[in-house]
Amino acid sequence: QKEVEQNSGPLSVPEGAIASLNCTYSDRVSQSFFWYRQYSGKSPELIMSIYSNGDKEDGRFTAQLNKASQYVSLLIRDSQPSDSATYLCAVKSRGSTLGRLYFGRGTQLTVWP
Amino acid sequence: SQTIHQWPATLVQPVGSPLSLECTVEGTSNPNLYWYRQAAGRGLQLLFYSVGIGQISSEVPQNLSASRPQDRQFILSSKKLLLSDSGFYLCAWRENRAPSYNEQFFGPGTRLTVL
């Protein structure tokens, strides 16, 4: 059973702060990692992909991957109220055919002005 | 660029009625296609996936079925809806060629309420 765990939150941060979202996964041979943002009532939107250990930055977003610890995180710098959403972590195993992803249940983030 | 469409956007159906949800992708060929369901307060559940016309794999046994009559068309069906079929149905696609970074992209979804 491949599991992806996220703290369900809600995580509440003030505007301008750094929001830190965490995700752990059980399958050691996982190879691809994704963060999706889902606004209430909308479909998930891919915001970050990371494939190797270390940090990957894209604007205000930084994804961090540590395969040894089976841990991936998403940092949102200078958080804005528009960042308020549920963030889904998704993982693809190396042995997974056809691009099957395993999703966490998501962390709800609220950024208050 | 690629675009994914789903319809209808919302649907209210009585228990026992049939269902047909449609998904189409533009701007790519031979994509991998996926149907997910997101029930209230729950995570994404993979229902079906397809690697080509007529090729369907099911993840969870249930009263739903899927078909892929054309390369970029994916249909989710049911002969008789249950109350437990209510949820947010999402279609997703992924490039089916190397190099593939396994990124999946979601359509806008169909919100189904079974009464």
Side-chain angles (χ1 to χ4, degrees):
Chain A
Q1 179 93 11
K2 298 178 174 63
E3 295 185 350
V4 179
E5 299 287 342
Q6 295 182 253
N7 188 329
S8 62
L11 174 65
S12 182
V13 301
E15 184 174 358
I18 296 175
S20 178
L21 305 164
N22 305 315
C23 173
T24 59
Y25 57 94
S26 62
D27 188 358
R28 287 189 171 275
V29 295
S30 296
Q31 63 173 168
S32 305
F33 306 86
F34 308 94
W35 284 99
Y36 288 82
R37 177 177 61 199
Q38 186 174 23
Y39 291 116
S40 180
K42 302 296 185 181
S43 63
E45 173 193 11
L46 180 65
I47 56 172
M48 287 288 284
S49 309
I50 186 166
Y51 304 96
S52 54
N53 280 328
D55 295 359
K56 179 182 178 182
E57 187 174 317
D58 183 1
R60 295 186 296 112
F61 298 98
T62 299
Q64 299 175 318
L65 175 61
N66 184 326
K67 290 188 178 180
S69 300
Q70 295 176 235
Y71 177 94
V72 58
S73 65
L74 179 70
L75 301 179
I76 306 175
R77 291 183 302 281
D78 188 24
S79 295
Q80 301 297 310
S82 60
D83 295 325
S84 298
T86 296
Y87 290 80
L88 304 175
C89 173
V91 174
K92 180 194 174 297
S93 170
R94 183 178 302 165
S96 172
T97 57
L98 308 173
R100 197 217 196 281
L101 298 182
Y102 294 85
F103 285 84
R105 292 199 169 197
T107 297
Q108 185 180 344
L109 171 67
T110 299
V111 181
W112 45 276
Chain B
S1 65
Q2 298 87 0
T3 310
I4 180 169
H5 304 278
Q6 287 187 247
W7 62 89
T10 60
L11 193 58
V12 180
Q13 292 285 95
V15 170
S17 63
L19 174 74
S20 181
L21 303 181
E22 189 166 342
C23 169
T24 59
V25 182
E26 297 177 354
T28 187
S29 60
N30 196 30
N32 285 358
L33 296 173
Y34 308 85
W35 278 113
Y36 291 87
R37 177 171 60 201
Q38 190 175 42
R42 302 182 64 181
L44 282 168
Q45 179 186 28
L46 179 63
L47 302 175
F48 300 95
Y49 59 91
S50 171
V51 298
I53 296 174
Q55 300 179 63
I56 309 294
S57 296
S58 174
E59 280 288 305
V60 181
Q62 57 215 330
N63 68 319
L64 299 172
S65 62
S67 62
R68 186 169 175 176
Q70 299 181 45
D71 180 44
R72 289 168 288 176
Q73 183 185 31
F74 205 19
I75 297 173
L76 183 69
S77 304
S78 174
K79 292 182 179 179
K80 288 187 177 182
L81 284 168
L82 307 173
L83 285 174
S84 58
D85 291 323
S86 292
F88 193 33
Y89 287 81
L90 293 157
C91 181
W93 73 275
R94 165 187 172 262
E95 291 283 4
N96 189 20
R97 58 180 173 82
S100 168
Y101 298 103
N102 303 305
E103 297 173 333
Q104 287 187 21
F105 301 94
F106 287 89
T110 295
R111 191 162 303 280
L112 171 66
T113 303
V114 182
L115 301 175

